[in-house]
Amino acid sequence: MKQKEQKNGMNPSQEQLPAVEMRVNRLGKGDGHCLAHLSVTLGGAFAVRGLRLMEGKNGPFLNFPSYKSSNGYQDICFPVSAQLRQQMTDAAVAAYRQVLDRHQAEAATQSQAEPEEPEPASGIGMQM
């Protein structure tokens, strides 16, 4: 069996990628490189929590759950193909932008809906 072939006889480039459902749990605080904290469901069968969408010098990227070992940080789970990594990153960026758009729309709606405070009456009925 060739080294690149998998047990099912398919090359990694022929793989069927699972459906990726990305959810933003919360947005980053805006004081660092973390844009959002996310969860993902792969193929409707496997869920991973603790992903972070980070802003890097080459654009956004996904940071996967990890633990600190004597050799530095070790990923707990990660995509094994570049195609799946790219699909997950694209889904994370799309989910992040959707949440940002929704927050901006809500902020605009609230600013339009806030009634102006009435001006205080000028001394009528007030004693000092």
Side-chain angles (χ1 to χ4, degrees):
M1 186 183 288
K2 292 182 182 178
Q3 196 173 20
K4 287 189 176 183
E5 283 186 35
Q6 295 182 343
K7 290 180 182 178
N8 62 6
M10 296 177 70
N11 289 333
S13 61
Q14 297 171 328
E15 289 178 17
Q16 287 280 335
L17 296 177
V20 174
E21 181 187 333
M22 196 69 67
R23 289 175 308 282
V24 174
N25 298 326
R26 69 177 193 258
L27 295 174
K29 298 185 192 274
D31 56 354
H33 297 285
C34 181
L35 301 173
H37 297 265
L38 306 108
S39 298
V40 65
T41 303
L42 299 172
F46 187 76
V48 180
R49 295 184 183 132
L51 284 81
R52 291 183 298 160
L53 183 63
M54 308 295 287
E55 183 63 51
K57 63 182 178 182
N58 296 324
F61 67 94
L62 274 178
N63 188 327
F64 290 87
S66 61
Y67 66 94
K68 190 172 184 177
S69 72
S70 60
N71 298 333
Y73 286 92
Q74 301 291 317
D75 284 342
I76 294 170
C77 59
F78 50 91
V80 294
S81 70
Q83 295 89 356
L84 181 57
R85 181 179 295 274
Q86 188 62 51
Q87 181 182 0
M88 291 176 73
T89 301
D90 293 345
V93 169
Y96 170 70
R97 289 189 178 143
Q98 185 178 17
V99 168
L100 278 184
D101 291 345
R102 188 171 62 229
H103 279 255
Q104 289 172 350
E106 288 173 2
T109 303
Q110 286 178 353
S111 67
Q112 293 174 357
E114 288 180 7
E116 293 183 23
E117 292 191 26
E119 294 181 24
S122 56
I124 301 175
M126 297 179 66
Q127 282 187 332
M128 291 195 191

